[in-house]
Amino acid sequence: MNVQKWKQLEDPSQHIDNVMRVRSSQQVSDNRLRLKTSIETCSENSKYTSSDIQKEILKILADEVRKKIREEIGSAKFCILVDEALDESNQEQMAIILRFVDCHGIIRERFFNNVITVEQHYHVDVFNVVPDFQLMELGSRFPDQTLELLSLSSSLDSTNHFESFNIDDICNLAQRFYPLDFTEKELGTLKRQLQHFKYDILVHPNFQNLSSLSELCQRLIETRKSKIFFLIDRLIRLVMTLPVSTATTERAFSAMKLVKKSLWNKMDDDFLSSCMVIYIERELADSIGSESIIDIFYSLKSRNVPLC
């Protein structure tokens, strides 16, 4: 017996520090598995079923989705679409959509957030000030020129073999409606690029039978012509960023009716916002791994059980 105990003492794997390390590692693995199950399946056997924990996990996931949207936008220009609607509890909810052109030349409209509007603050302090500011801005940059904006933008239209292509109109578009996006020197360079564009792209076999401005933008990227005609590419992206409908905000409010039902009409604002971001942008949410969520969850504050 004594000999056997002595042999156990000689065995490094039986040393107390190693034994505790193995047990600790197993405990961490078990805890992470429980939390991962809670995140991915929400089954009856899941632990971490506290409503506060569930909301915390949802907020982490929603914040990661927003982070991916910010990374997707990068340094690109974007347009903010805002609309309001009443939710199930008759509270005004304001949906915030970001419209931009991604690195592949594709138009994206991402749901970023929704906030409850406080009547005094938004309807009086903000919504009475913002329209005034916007009217002044429109008055200085777009005075009765909406039709002119659309007309000049059509000069970039790639349909029917670029039959609407007009160098002077495109230069006027950049100068009159995007003065903060092009310097005087760049405007001169833009004109020269357009002259080369006319004799290169308009007859290039890869740019025939295009059906939209978005398709033109994508084809420029695919052929690396966007590097050569970088100012034209910039102007195309600015035009594409202009909002053309409220379909995305309407879809956001439709999603809100699915999330905030009559039985769930007491949802707090942060919880509703997290649920909507995850539901509407579920393609992005699905790309976020459970392990990264667990790491963020553990790093936010001290936990009762080890996860790392």
PDB file of all heavy atoms in Angstrom, residues 177-196:
ATOM      1  N   PHE A 177     -23.907  69.719 -56.898  1.00  0.00           N
ATOM      2  CA  PHE A 177     -24.578  68.972 -55.841  1.00  0.00           C
ATOM      3  C   PHE A 177     -23.630  68.259 -54.880  1.00  0.00           C
ATOM      4  O   PHE A 177     -24.060  67.803 -53.820  1.00  0.00           O
ATOM      5  CB  PHE A 177     -25.546  67.947 -56.454  1.00  0.00           C
ATOM      6  CG  PHE A 177     -26.700  68.590 -57.160  1.00  0.00           C
ATOM      7  CD1 PHE A 177     -26.655  68.800 -58.529  1.00  0.00           C
ATOM      8  CD2 PHE A 177     -27.813  69.009 -56.454  1.00  0.00           C
ATOM      9  CE1 PHE A 177     -27.718  69.410 -59.191  1.00  0.00           C
ATOM     10  CE2 PHE A 177     -28.876  69.625 -57.100  1.00  0.00           C
ATOM     11  CZ  PHE A 177     -28.834  69.822 -58.478  1.00  0.00           C
ATOM     12  N   TYR A 178     -22.353  68.165 -55.238  1.00  0.00           N
ATOM     13  CA  TYR A 178     -21.388  67.521 -54.355  1.00  0.00           C
ATOM     14  C   TYR A 178     -20.116  68.360 -54.210  1.00  0.00           C
ATOM     15  O   TYR A 178     -19.007  67.857 -54.382  1.00  0.00           O
ATOM     16  CB  TYR A 178     -21.041  66.116 -54.887  1.00  0.00           C
ATOM     17  CG  TYR A 178     -22.238  65.208 -54.970  1.00  0.00           C
ATOM     18  CD1 TYR A 178     -22.857  64.949 -56.198  1.00  0.00           C
ATOM     19  CD2 TYR A 178     -22.771  64.606 -53.829  1.00  0.00           C
ATOM     20  CE1 TYR A 178     -23.965  64.120 -56.276  1.00  0.00           C
ATOM     21  CE2 TYR A 178     -23.876  63.783 -53.900  1.00  0.00           C
ATOM     22  CZ  TYR A 178     -24.472  63.541 -55.132  1.00  0.00           C
ATOM     23  OH  TYR A 178     -25.567  62.722 -55.199  1.00  0.00           O
ATOM     24  N   PRO A 179     -20.273  69.646 -53.856  1.00  0.00           N
ATOM     25  CA  PRO A 179     -19.095  70.521 -53.763  1.00  0.00           C
ATOM     26  C   PRO A 179     -18.142  70.144 -52.633  1.00  0.00           C
ATOM     27  O   PRO A 179     -16.958  70.491 -52.686  1.00  0.00           O
ATOM     28  CB  PRO A 179     -19.724  71.907 -53.509  1.00  0.00           C
ATOM     29  CG  PRO A 179     -21.035  71.609 -52.862  1.00  0.00           C
ATOM     30  CD  PRO A 179     -21.520  70.353 -53.504  1.00  0.00           C
ATOM     31  N   LEU A 180     -18.653  69.441 -51.620  1.00  0.00           N
ATOM     32  CA  LEU A 180     -17.789  69.052 -50.503  1.00  0.00           C
ATOM     33  C   LEU A 180     -17.039  67.751 -50.781  1.00  0.00           C
ATOM     34  O   LEU A 180     -16.144  67.381 -50.012  1.00  0.00           O
ATOM     35  CB  LEU A 180     -18.621  68.890 -49.220  1.00  0.00           C
ATOM     36  CG  LEU A 180     -19.378  70.133 -48.742  1.00  0.00           C
ATOM     37  CD1 LEU A 180     -20.158  69.834 -47.468  1.00  0.00           C
ATOM     38  CD2 LEU A 180     -18.402  71.291 -48.496  1.00  0.00           C
ATOM     39  N   ASP A 181     -17.397  67.085 -51.855  1.00  0.00           N
ATOM     40  CA  ASP A 181     -16.783  65.786 -52.163  1.00  0.00           C
ATOM     41  C   ASP A 181     -15.758  65.856 -53.284  1.00  0.00           C
ATOM     42  O   ASP A 181     -15.055  64.877 -53.540  1.00  0.00           O
ATOM     43  CB  ASP A 181     -17.879  64.779 -52.543  1.00  0.00           C
ATOM     44  CG  ASP A 181     -18.846  64.530 -51.400  1.00  0.00           C
ATOM     45  OD1 ASP A 181     -18.428  63.947 -50.396  1.00  0.00           O
ATOM     46  OD2 ASP A 181     -20.023  64.936 -51.526  1.00  0.00           O
ATOM     47  N   PHE A 182     -15.689  67.022 -53.959  1.00  0.00           N
ATOM     48  CA  PHE A 182     -14.720  67.189 -55.043  1.00  0.00           C
ATOM     49  C   PHE A 182     -14.066  68.567 -54.930  1.00  0.00           C
ATOM     50  O   PHE A 182     -14.768  69.584 -54.874  1.00  0.00           O
ATOM     51  CB  PHE A 182     -15.398  67.061 -56.419  1.00  0.00           C
ATOM     52  CG  PHE A 182     -15.953  65.695 -56.709  1.00  0.00           C
ATOM     53  CD1 PHE A 182     -17.268  65.391 -56.370  1.00  0.00           C
ATOM     54  CD2 PHE A 182     -15.172  64.714 -57.300  1.00  0.00           C
ATOM     55  CE1 PHE A 182     -17.802  64.133 -56.625  1.00  0.00           C
ATOM     56  CE2 PHE A 182     -15.690  63.457 -57.562  1.00  0.00           C
ATOM     57  CZ  PHE A 182     -17.005  63.163 -57.228  1.00  0.00           C
ATOM     58  N   THR A 183     -12.753  68.610 -54.923  1.00  0.00           N
ATOM     59  CA  THR A 183     -12.037  69.880 -54.930  1.00  0.00           C
ATOM     60  C   THR A 183     -12.024  70.429 -56.359  1.00  0.00           C
ATOM     61  O   THR A 183     -12.377  69.732 -57.316  1.00  0.00           O
ATOM     62  CB  THR A 183     -10.597  69.691 -54.436  1.00  0.00           C
ATOM     63  OG1 THR A 183      -9.888  68.827 -55.363  1.00  0.00           O
ATOM     64  CG2 THR A 183     -10.571  69.045 -53.046  1.00  0.00           C
ATOM     65  N   GLU A 184     -11.616  71.681 -56.485  1.00  0.00           N
ATOM     66  CA  GLU A 184     -11.532  72.285 -57.819  1.00  0.00           C
ATOM     67  C   GLU A 184     -10.575  71.494 -58.709  1.00  0.00           C
ATOM     68  O   GLU A 184     -10.845  71.281 -59.902  1.00  0.00           O
ATOM     69  CB  GLU A 184     -11.065  73.745 -57.703  1.00  0.00           C
ATOM     70  CG  GLU A 184     -12.118  74.696 -57.147  1.00  0.00           C
ATOM     71  CD  GLU A 184     -13.313  74.835 -58.087  1.00  0.00           C
ATOM     72  OE1 GLU A 184     -13.112  74.740 -59.326  1.00  0.00           O
ATOM     73  OE2 GLU A 184     -14.434  75.028 -57.599  1.00  0.00           O
ATOM     74  N   LYS A 185      -9.476  71.058 -58.125  1.00  0.00           N
ATOM     75  CA  LYS A 185      -8.504  70.290 -58.893  1.00  0.00           C
ATOM     76  C   LYS A 185      -9.098  68.952 -59.329  1.00  0.00           C
ATOM     77  O   LYS A 185      -8.902  68.515 -60.469  1.00  0.00           O
ATOM     78  CB  LYS A 185      -7.249  70.059 -58.046  1.00  0.00           C
ATOM     79  CG  LYS A 185      -6.143  69.322 -58.780  1.00  0.00           C
ATOM     80  CD  LYS A 185      -4.909  69.171 -57.908  1.00  0.00           C
ATOM     81  CE  LYS A 185      -3.804  68.419 -58.652  1.00  0.00           C
ATOM     82  NZ  LYS A 185      -2.581  68.264 -57.806  1.00  0.00           N
ATOM     83  N   GLU A 186      -9.853  68.310 -58.423  1.00  0.00           N
ATOM     84  CA  GLU A 186     -10.464  67.025 -58.756  1.00  0.00           C
ATOM     85  C   GLU A 186     -11.535  67.168 -59.822  1.00  0.00           C
ATOM     86  O   GLU A 186     -11.729  66.259 -60.637  1.00  0.00           O
ATOM     87  CB  GLU A 186     -11.052  66.386 -57.492  1.00  0.00           C
ATOM     88  CG  GLU A 186      -9.997  65.818 -56.556  1.00  0.00           C
ATOM     89  CD  GLU A 186     -10.595  65.229 -55.298  1.00  0.00           C
ATOM     90  OE1 GLU A 186     -11.660  65.715 -54.854  1.00  0.00           O
ATOM     91  OE2 GLU A 186      -9.992  64.296 -54.731  1.00  0.00           O
ATOM     92  N   LEU A 187     -12.240  68.305 -59.835  1.00  0.00           N
ATOM     93  CA  LEU A 187     -13.247  68.529 -60.870  1.00  0.00           C
ATOM     94  C   LEU A 187     -12.599  68.563 -62.257  1.00  0.00           C
ATOM     95  O   LEU A 187     -13.153  68.060 -63.235  1.00  0.00           O
ATOM     96  CB  LEU A 187     -14.015  69.828 -60.604  1.00  0.00           C
ATOM     97  CG  LEU A 187     -14.999  69.790 -59.427  1.00  0.00           C
ATOM     98  CD1 LEU A 187     -15.541  71.185 -59.151  1.00  0.00           C
ATOM     99  CD2 LEU A 187     -16.148  68.820 -59.735  1.00  0.00           C
ATOM    100  N   GLY A 188     -11.414  69.183 -62.328  1.00  0.00           N
ATOM    101  CA  GLY A 188     -10.683  69.187 -63.596  1.00  0.00           C
ATOM    102  C   GLY A 188     -10.225  67.787 -63.982  1.00  0.00           C
ATOM    103  O   GLY A 188     -10.311  67.391 -65.153  1.00  0.00           O
ATOM    104  N   THR A 189      -9.753  67.052 -62.997  1.00  0.00           N
ATOM    105  CA  THR A 189      -9.331  65.667 -63.239  1.00  0.00           C
ATOM    106  C   THR A 189     -10.516  64.799 -63.641  1.00  0.00           C
ATOM    107  O   THR A 189     -10.395  63.908 -64.493  1.00  0.00           O
ATOM    108  CB  THR A 189      -8.657  65.087 -61.980  1.00  0.00           C
ATOM    109  OG1 THR A 189      -7.583  65.933 -61.572  1.00  0.00           O
ATOM    110  CG2 THR A 189      -8.124  63.686 -62.247  1.00  0.00           C
ATOM    111  N   LEU A 190     -11.669  65.054 -63.013  1.00  0.00           N
ATOM    112  CA  LEU A 190     -12.881  64.304 -63.339  1.00  0.00           C
ATOM    113  C   LEU A 190     -13.239  64.463 -64.812  1.00  0.00           C
ATOM    114  O   LEU A 190     -13.597  63.475 -65.488  1.00  0.00           O
ATOM    115  CB  LEU A 190     -14.044  64.782 -62.457  1.00  0.00           C
ATOM    116  CG  LEU A 190     -15.436  64.201 -62.780  1.00  0.00           C
ATOM    117  CD1 LEU A 190     -15.450  62.688 -62.559  1.00  0.00           C
ATOM    118  CD2 LEU A 190     -16.514  64.882 -61.940  1.00  0.00           C
ATOM    119  N   LYS A 191     -13.137  65.675 -65.327  1.00  0.00           N
ATOM    120  CA  LYS A 191     -13.482  65.914 -66.734  1.00  0.00           C
ATOM    121  C   LYS A 191     -12.552  65.129 -67.657  1.00  0.00           C
ATOM    122  O   LYS A 191     -12.996  64.538 -68.650  1.00  0.00           O
ATOM    123  CB  LYS A 191     -13.413  67.406 -67.043  1.00  0.00           C
ATOM    124  CG  LYS A 191     -13.918  67.750 -68.440  1.00  0.00           C
ATOM    125  CD  LYS A 191     -14.128  69.248 -68.604  1.00  0.00           C
ATOM    126  CE  LYS A 191     -14.777  69.547 -69.943  1.00  0.00           C
ATOM    127  NZ  LYS A 191     -15.092  70.984 -70.097  1.00  0.00           N
ATOM    128  N   ARG A 192     -11.269  65.110 -67.310  1.00  0.00           N
ATOM    129  CA  ARG A 192     -10.313  64.362 -68.124  1.00  0.00           C
ATOM    130  C   ARG A 192     -10.593  62.852 -68.046  1.00  0.00           C
ATOM    131  O   ARG A 192     -10.486  62.142 -69.061  1.00  0.00           O
ATOM    132  CB  ARG A 192      -8.881  64.670 -67.684  1.00  0.00           C
ATOM    133  CG  ARG A 192      -8.424  66.089 -68.045  1.00  0.00           C
ATOM    134  CD  ARG A 192      -6.941  66.272 -67.824  1.00  0.00           C
ATOM    135  NE  ARG A 192      -6.587  66.214 -66.412  1.00  0.00           N
ATOM    136  CZ  ARG A 192      -6.621  67.257 -65.581  1.00  0.00           C
ATOM    137  NH1 ARG A 192      -7.009  68.445 -66.048  1.00  0.00           N
ATOM    138  NH2 ARG A 192      -6.271  67.132 -64.328  1.00  0.00           N
ATOM    139  N   GLN A 193     -10.952  62.376 -66.857  1.00  0.00           N
ATOM    140  CA  GLN A 193     -11.294  60.966 -66.713  1.00  0.00           C
ATOM    141  C   GLN A 193     -12.532  60.610 -67.554  1.00  0.00           C
ATOM    142  O   GLN A 193     -12.590  59.538 -68.164  1.00  0.00           O
ATOM    143  CB  GLN A 193     -11.534  60.621 -65.238  1.00  0.00           C
ATOM    144  CG  GLN A 193     -10.277  60.519 -64.406  1.00  0.00           C
ATOM    145  CD  GLN A 193     -10.532  59.951 -63.013  1.00  0.00           C
ATOM    146  OE1 GLN A 193     -11.614  59.435 -62.721  1.00  0.00           O
ATOM    147  NE2 GLN A 193      -9.536  60.046 -62.142  1.00  0.00           N
ATOM    148  N   LEU A 194     -13.493  61.517 -67.576  1.00  0.00           N
ATOM    149  CA  LEU A 194     -14.708  61.272 -68.351  1.00  0.00           C
ATOM    150  C   LEU A 194     -14.418  61.199 -69.847  1.00  0.00           C
ATOM    151  O   LEU A 194     -15.042  60.410 -70.579  1.00  0.00           O
ATOM    152  CB  LEU A 194     -15.736  62.381 -68.064  1.00  0.00           C
ATOM    153  CG  LEU A 194     -16.411  62.324 -66.691  1.00  0.00           C
ATOM    154  CD1 LEU A 194     -17.147  63.617 -66.394  1.00  0.00           C
ATOM    155  CD2 LEU A 194     -17.387  61.143 -66.635  1.00  0.00           C
ATOM    156  N   GLN A 195     -13.455  61.999 -70.299  1.00  0.00           N
ATOM    157  CA  GLN A 195     -13.087  61.965 -71.717  1.00  0.00           C
ATOM    158  C   GLN A 195     -12.449  60.629 -72.079  1.00  0.00           C
ATOM    159  O   GLN A 195     -12.732  60.050 -73.136  1.00  0.00           O
ATOM    160  CB  GLN A 195     -12.128  63.126 -72.021  1.00  0.00           C
ATOM    161  CG  GLN A 195     -12.804  64.487 -71.956  1.00  0.00           C
ATOM    162  CD  GLN A 195     -11.820  65.652 -71.953  1.00  0.00           C
ATOM    163  OE1 GLN A 195     -10.612  65.458 -71.729  1.00  0.00           O
ATOM    164  NE2 GLN A 195     -12.309  66.855 -72.199  1.00  0.00           N
ATOM    165  N   HIS A 196     -11.595  60.108 -71.194  1.00  0.00           N
ATOM    166  CA  HIS A 196     -11.005  58.785 -71.419  1.00  0.00           C
ATOM    167  C   HIS A 196     -12.057  57.690 -71.264  1.00  0.00           C
ATOM    168  O   HIS A 196     -12.037  56.690 -71.996  1.00  0.00           O
ATOM    169  CB  HIS A 196      -9.850  58.555 -70.437  1.00  0.00           C
ATOM    170  CG  HIS A 196      -8.631  59.371 -70.720  1.00  0.00           C
ATOM    171  ND1 HIS A 196      -7.819  59.146 -71.811  1.00  0.00           N
ATOM    172  CD2 HIS A 196      -8.090  60.420 -70.044  1.00  0.00           C
ATOM    173  CE1 HIS A 196      -6.831  60.021 -71.807  1.00  0.00           C
ATOM    174  NE2 HIS A 196      -6.961  60.810 -70.743  1.00  0.00           N
TER     175      HIS A 196
END
